[in-house]
Amino acid sequence: QVQLVESGGGLVQPGGSLRLSCAASGFLFSSSNMVWHRQAPGKGLEWVAQITANGRYTNYADSVKGRFTISRDNAKNTLYLQMNSLKPEDTAQYYCSKTGEQPSGHGTPVTVSS
């Protein structure tokens, strides 16, 4: 059974940084392309970033390009999202998933506010 557990969220001031983690189990993580999504209060699910199974290729939403970095450690079955230069509009619940699937975890909350 696929299990994805997001962590690392919190309250941060504008311009600050956070590193999110997603611990994966129940499937072959090292063979799976992975995605980070987010959902801001009152809005729909937004795709944020994607990484290929081997970590060689990444892609980002224009709204986070140059500020966020997606990475993975296949030995630890863990996906990461390094978020720098955070803005209030980055406030959202953040989720990970396999590419092409809807998030199944609880997500981790990120609040950017002074």
Side-chain angles (χ1 to χ4, degrees):
Q1 182 178 352
V2 173
Q3 187 169 14
L4 296 164
V5 180
E6 300 92 345
S7 63
L11 173 63
V12 63
Q13 292 187 342
S17 298
L18 281 174
R19 188 194 196 201
L20 306 184
S21 299
C22 168
S25 61
F27 65 101
L28 194 55
F29 179 76
S30 59
S31 295
S32 301
N33 298 338
M34 298 294 295
V35 176
W36 281 101
H37 314 260
R38 66 185 181 186
Q39 186 165 20
K43 296 190 176 181
L45 195 65
E46 176 189 14
W47 171 84
V48 174
Q50 177 173 316
I51 189 167
T52 55
N54 60 9
R56 188 169 300 175
Y57 299 104
T58 59
N59 198 15
Y60 299 90
D62 287 344
S63 57
V64 306
K65 199 172 293 183
R67 300 187 298 121
F68 289 12
T69 302
I70 188 171
S71 63
R72 64 194 298 158
D73 185 337
N74 285 345
K76 295 182 178 180
N77 283 1
T78 303
L79 179 72
Y80 302 101
L81 186 68
Q82 177 67 44
M83 306 187 297
N84 299 329
S85 302
L86 282 160
K87 304 175 181 181
E89 51 263 44
D90 295 317
T91 294
Q93 192 80 0
Y94 283 72
Y95 303 89
C96 61
S97 76
K98 296 167 66 176
T99 298
E101 296 186 4
Q102 291 295 304
S104 58
H106 295 293
T108 186
V110 171
T111 302
V112 184
S113 175
S114 54

